[in-house]
Amino acid sequence: MLRQVNPSVVSATKVQPDERQREAIEHVLGPMLVLAGAGTGKTTVLTRRIAYLIREGHARPDEILALTYTDNAADEMKRRVQAELEGHDISGMKVLTFHAWCNDLLHRRGAKFGVLDDKDL
């Protein structure tokens, strides 16, 4: 479990990860599941993990797919990765909502669909 992080501390200084967070950030062999509650530093761990994978050559930006629930969270995640990787080109990295990614997947696969209106029901 990740530790609770005070939001005022996060914005003022760069939080140093604890042992479990560092383990998640530096994990490179196979998938990893991060389970943690609100305010425990999940976004920080995930953005630092993405930056670590790119910086250390374990992945290229176009091999990264980060999915979240809101557009704001996706924008924040991308901004944080860019800040961690100052000077690196992260074009090709996908940081999207689940809905946006699924919609893009359907369009790339040629799925023809539209939005149902009251008249269609």
Side-chain angles (χ1 to χ4, degrees), residues 39-68:
T40 57
K42 291 181 304 296
T43 301
T44 298
V45 167
L46 294 174
T47 56
R48 288 186 184 178
R49 176 172 165 69
I50 291 167
Y52 178 84
L53 291 171
I54 294 169
R55 186 175 36 253
E56 299 300 317
H58 296 290
R60 297 185 319 264
D62 64 340
E63 296 173 320
I64 301 289
L65 172 63
L67 299 175
T68 189

Side-chain angles (χ1 to χ4, degrees), residues 16-55:
Q16 293 302 313
D18 64 22
E19 183 180 335
R20 297 294 302 262
Q21 290 170 322
R22 196 170 25 266
E23 178 184 335
I25 292 167
E26 297 175 357
H27 177 81
V28 294
L29 299 175
M32 176 175 221
L33 177 64
V34 175
L35 294 175
T40 57
K42 291 181 304 296
T43 301
T44 298
V45 167
L46 294 174
T47 56
R48 288 186 184 178
R49 176 172 165 69
I50 291 167
Y52 178 84
L53 291 171
I54 294 169
R55 186 175 36 253

